[in-house]
Amino acid sequence: MLNSLDWLVILFMGLAGVAILSLALMLLCKNKVVRYVTTGIVLAAAGVAAFFGFMVGITGYFIGQLAVALMAGLLIAGAVVLGILGAKNTKLFLYSRIASAMALVLGMASAFFI
């Protein structure tokens, strides 16, 4: 029987595995379709992690965690806007990928480490 700490470790390992694999594919692959798909996966994983951090931080005891989760949310929104605008401009799409990677790191930090 698994307790809540076991489920938290399983969730963290799954989210970390998806994050590392999608970051590697997003930054190393040359295919545009793979880049778009993995950017979406990275943004979804960042959103989930930022949501977890936000839900823990909203209790009022972890204000720093709440602030980091909100920064990750703002980065996610900016990455989505840059990704939409970057469909024709490769430089904007590069900025979108960088912002989504930063949002994923901040989201993971707010959800599990801070």
Side-chain angles (χ1 to χ4, degrees):
M1 179 133 194
L2 298 173
N3 59 14
S4 59
L5 187 58
D6 294 335
W7 285 111
L8 182 66
V9 169
I10 291 169
L11 177 73
F12 172 72
M13 295 304 285
L15 195 57
V18 167
I20 290 172
L21 180 64
S22 58
L23 276 175
L25 286 174
M26 181 180 71
L27 297 174
L28 297 176
C29 284
K30 300 287 183 190
N31 191 352
K32 288 180 95 172
V33 175
V34 173
R35 283 184 180 173
Y36 284 116
V37 170
T38 55
T39 302
I41 293 171
V42 166
L43 287 172
V48 167
F51 176 73
F52 289 154
F54 181 77
M55 292 307 288
V56 170
I58 204 166
T59 59
Y61 296 109
F62 304 104
I63 302 299
Q65 189 170 5
L66 180 66
V68 172
L70 289 175
M71 284 191 300
L74 288 174
L75 271 173
I76 291 168
V80 167
V81 169
L82 286 175
I84 292 170
L85 295 176
K88 296 183 176 144
N89 188 353
T90 58
K91 195 169 193 177
L92 285 178
F93 186 62
L94 174 67
Y95 294 149
S96 169
R97 291 187 297 154
I98 292 170
S100 63
M102 288 174 23
L104 181 63
V105 169
L106 276 177
M108 292 290 283
S110 73
F112 298 107
F113 297 128
I114 294 177

